[in-house]
């Protein structure tokens, strides 16, 4: 999957390629993406925007609204700490689990777009194949 700054906020502001976990593929994520076509995956940009605009309450963009709904859902399923920003916390959760299952730091840094700690670690960046193989170690979520 190619992540690009024009699609939304990217940590490094540079496009990067990341693998998709096999479990997401098995659940039909690629079919979902194909059906969505070009543009946003989680909302319909063709829907008419509300016409009213209250200067005292500026309207959020659709992407921001979707992020807010995701945060509400995360709170509902147990992310209760008020100091935790649920959407940003997914990155921390991913890194913690990646460490726990033995994915090398260099590989999970590449997946998450984190800068490497030293100049030497910038050499020999993991390939997409390396990252895909490492993701096989990442556990699957049990879904109801």
């Amino acid at each position: 999957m190619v992540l690009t700054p024009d699609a939304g906020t990217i940590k490094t502001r540079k496009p990067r390629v990341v693998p998709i976990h096999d479990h997401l593929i098995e659940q039909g994520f690629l079919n979902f993406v194909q059906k969505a076509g070009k543009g946003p995956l989680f909302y319909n940009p063709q829907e008419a925007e509300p016409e009213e605009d209250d200067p005292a309450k500026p309207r959020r963009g659709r992407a921001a609204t979707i992020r807010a709904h995701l945060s509400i859902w995360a709170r509902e399923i147990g992310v209760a700490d008020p100091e935790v920003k649920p959407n940003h916390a997914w990155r921390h959760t991913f890194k913690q689990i990646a460490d726990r299952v033995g994915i090398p730091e260099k590989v999970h840094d590449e997946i998450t777009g984190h800068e490497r700690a030293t100049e030497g670690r910038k050499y020999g960046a993991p390939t997409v194949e390396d990252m895909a193989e490492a993701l096989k170690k990442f556990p699957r979520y049990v879904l109801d």
Side-chain angles (χ1 to χ4, degrees):
M1 178 166 50
V2 179
L3 305 175
T4 61
D6 61 320
T9 305
I10 297 291
K11 184 127 183 110
T12 60
R13 294 183 191 88
K14 297 176 190 166
R16 70 177 184 278
V17 177
V18 296
I20 300 171
H21 194 285
D22 290 342
H23 197 200
L24 282 175
I25 294 170
E26 289 169 19
Q27 292 176 69
F29 181 71
L30 296 180
N31 293 331
F32 169 74
V33 171
Q34 277 185 324
K35 284 181 185 176
K38 291 189 181 271
L41 293 176
F42 302 105
Y43 64 90
N44 183 352
Q46 304 306 322
E47 290 177 6
E49 291 276 348
E51 295 205 16
E52 59 194 73
D53 201 10
D54 180 352
K57 292 183 178 182
R59 199 175 37 213
R60 281 195 249 178
R62 286 206 172 117
T65 301
I66 296 299
R67 280 193 306 271
H69 287 292
L70 184 58
S71 290
I72 291 166
W73 171 77
R75 297 276 184 217
E76 288 171 353
I77 63 167
V79 181
D81 186 340
E83 297 298 315
V84 171
K85 295 179 180 175
N87 292 331
H88 183 73
W90 297 120
R91 180 185 301 269
H92 292 265
T93 301
F94 174 83
K95 301 273 291 183
Q96 184 180 51
I97 293 170
D99 279 337
R100 194 176 301 143
V101 299
I103 296 174
E105 182 177 19
K106 189 174 188 175
V107 175
H108 63 72
D109 280 350
E110 190 73 17
I111 293 169
T112 58
H114 282 135
E115 286 290 322
R116 289 173 202 84
T118 67
E119 189 63 31
R121 287 189 193 161
K122 292 179 184 177
Y123 292 93
T127 65
V128 174
E129 293 80 11
D130 295 336
M131 292 185 284
E133 192 60 35
L135 274 183
K136 290 178 182 177
K137 296 178 181 179
F138 204 86
R140 294 164 177 247
Y141 285 92
V142 177
L143 305 171
D144 295 333

